[in-house]
Structures are given as structure tokens and as C-alpha cells.
Amino acid sequence: MELASITLYKTLVMVILALAGVMSYKTGIVDEEINKKLSDLVLTLFTPILLFTSFQKEFTPSLLSGLGVSVVLSVLSFMVIWCICKIVVRKQNQDYAAVEHVAIMYSNCGFIGIPMAQGIFGADGVFYMTAYVALANFLLWSHGIIVMSGKMDVKSLKKVFTSPTIIAIIFGVLCFFLQIRMPAIIEEPLEMIANMNTPMAMMVAGINIAQADLKHTFKKARLYWLSFVKLIVMPMVLIGLFYFLPVDNVIKTVMILASSCPVGVTGSLFALRYGKDAVYASELFAMSTLLSIITVPFMMLFC
């Protein structure tokens, strides 16, 4: 119950930050073009630095084993999620199936999961979340592209290993193993930049929601069903599966938190790029993001 209460409190904080983004868009302070640049700033600067600084820890066997367990649980999570996705979209038109598959398989673990993990568990939460985020990025730019385009895109595969997120994790892991610590004059500004990740990420999420036609979105029954699968069914299946594993509860909870996050905004960008229904993808993002205000604390209650 305490974890659920903490999560609810942190969720409400996130909501207020997102509302600041909504108001910024509605009052004309920012527009779609500015929001895209803000989104790029989060993805290419704030989040990578946050991930890197999470590895600036003293090396201990328990942290190393915890990171290994996180990798294994992340792989297991995506295997289960992939199976559920195949069942849910199997009767859909091919184009809509592609949009739905990518949307409900890849959560917003970067924009929302990392800030939540940081808010609830601190640096350790981000440390363990990196495994899920790294695997999600790798699969999104490989499997996600194949699903959306219907073919292998070699250029996109190269982006996996050159993305700031993956580079930050690789350097972070190396520094962790070699115990390379940043001097205070560098560490302090890095931490200050890392602390900007949560407010900026949530404001971007709010701006994205503000751009959606919510009245039209709330009339689509299919969106409720997909949000239910994404936000309730998938995490509950993983909770049942992880319950029997002799693993640290913090690690298991971080994995559940990552899978409980709403649909990622990248699905909309992919849909636009590959000629799929980008509006539908944005509606999935908006619906699941709004409902996650209730469902994420609910999932933490079961953890």
C-alpha cells in the first residue's frame, strides 16, 4: 500500500508537470515545431545524461547481479508482451495491426518510466531501468521498423548503436565496471542537467496530449480495449510471472513499472514515416497516457 501511495503522489506530480505543458501549448507559448525540438532535447541530452549518471556508483557485487537480473527480466518481459501483442492484433487490418502492435509493445519507458523510477526509487531505480530502456530502444529500431515498414531497414538498425541513449548506457556501464568517477566540477553540472529530465519530459508529454482531439478519441471503443491490454493485462501477467521468481522486489517492481507505462510517442512518428495512420497512433498515445494516471498506481498496489 505504501508503494502505491508513493506512486500515486509521484503520478500527481507528473500530472501537474504535464498540465504545465498543456497550458503552454494552449496559450501559444509553444507550438508543434518547438515541441519537437524540446522532445529531441530530452531524448538526446537530458535522458542520456540521466542514464549515464545513474552508473556513477561504487561497484558492488549486488549492483552487478541486480543489473544482470534486470537484463534477464527485461528479455522475459518483452517475450511475454510480444505474445500478447500477436494475439490482440491478429484479426486487424495489416496497417492498423502494425500501428497497434508497435504502440502496445513499446511503452513510454523513456519519458515516463525513467522519471517515475527516479521519483520512487532514486538512482537505483534508474540504474535498473536502464536494462529495459536499452532493450526497448534496440527492439524498437529493429523489430518496430520491420513491423511498420514490412521490410528490414539496415539504416535504422545502425541508429540503434549510435543513439545517444545506447551510447550513454554503454559509457555508463564501462565507467561502472572500471570505476571511473567524474570529478566534482563535471559531476555537479551533469546531475543538474539530469534533474531537468523529469519536468521537461512530462511537459513534452502534456504538449503531445494537448494536440490530440480528445473528444473524438474518447468515442473509440477500440482505444479503451487496447489501453486496457497495455496498462492492465500486460503488467498483471508479468506480476503473476515474477511473483514466483526469487529476485529483489525493487528490480521486479521497476520492470513492472516499465511495462505499466503508456504507449510511447515514437509509434506516431513511425506511423507518419511509413505511411500508416499517424492520427490513430497519436490517439492511442493520448488515451493510454491519460488512463495511466490511474492504472500505474493501481499496478504498484499489486507489487
Side-chain angles (χ1 to χ4, degrees), residues 35 99 103-104 106-108 111-112 201-212 214 217 223 227 231 261-269 278-292:
N35 186 47
V99 172
I104 64 177
Y106 301 107
S107 68
N108 209 349
F111 272 125
I112 296 178
M202 294 313 303
M203 287 186 67
V204 170
I207 295 168
N208 286 327
I209 292 174
Q211 294 176 47
L214 296 181
T217 299
L223 296 179
S227 296
L231 301 172
C261 290
V263 169
V265 71
T266 313
S268 303
L269 302 178
V279 174
Y280 184 54
S282 297
E283 289 174 339
L284 272 168
F285 166 79
M287 173 70 81
S288 63
T289 300
L290 290 172
L291 293 178
S292 68

Side-chain angles (χ1 to χ4, degrees), residues 181-191:
R181 304 296 293 271
M182 295 296 105
I185 191 64
I186 296 177
E187 183 180 15
E188 185 172 346
L190 286 180
E191 289 182 351

Side-chain angles (χ1 to χ4, degrees), residues 80-181:
V80 171
I81 290 171
W82 180 84
C83 292
I84 295 174
C85 287
K86 295 294 287 185
I87 294 172
V88 171
V89 306
R90 70 186 188 281
K91 294 183 179 180
Q92 283 292 89
N93 169 279
Q94 185 176 357
D95 285 350
Y96 279 96
V99 172
E100 292 180 358
H101 192 151
V102 172
I104 64 177
M105 183 164 178
Y106 301 107
S107 68
N108 209 349
C109 56
F111 272 125
I112 296 178
I114 290 174
M116 289 293 289
Q118 184 183 30
I120 299 172
F121 299 108
D124 285 349
V126 179
F127 182 81
Y128 295 131
M129 180 71 81
T130 55
Y132 193 97
V133 171
L135 183 58
N137 273 272
F138 177 80
L139 291 174
L140 181 61
W141 288 95
S142 53
H143 169 262
I145 294 293
I146 294 171
V147 170
M148 276 289 191
S149 66
K151 58 183 179 181
M152 180 70 72
D153 190 336
V154 178
K155 290 183 179 179
S156 294
L157 288 176
K158 291 180 180 178
K159 289 183 179 180
V160 175
F161 302 102
T162 58
S163 70
T165 299
I166 298 299
I167 292 173
I169 291 174
I170 291 173
F171 274 102
V173 170
L174 288 175
C175 289
F176 175 66
F177 278 108
L178 300 176
Q179 281 299 281
I180 300 174
R181 304 296 293 271

Side-chain angles (χ1 to χ4, degrees), residues 1 29 58 66 113 183 200 209 220 222 234 249 253 262 282-283:
M1 180 65 75
I29 297 176
E58 182 179 350
M200 188 59 70
I209 292 174
K220 294 187 176 182
R222 177 76 177 172
M234 289 179 175
N249 282 331
T253 304
S282 297
E283 289 174 339

Side-chain angles (χ1 to χ4, degrees), residues 42-71:
V42 172
L43 290 174
T44 60
L45 181 64
F46 297 157
T47 297
I49 288 179
L50 173 62
L51 293 173
F52 174 79
T53 56
S54 72
F55 285 98
Q56 289 288 291
K57 294 174 173 292
E58 182 179 350
F59 181 91
T60 64
S62 61
L63 279 176
L64 178 60
S65 63
L67 185 61
V69 170
S70 299
V71 172

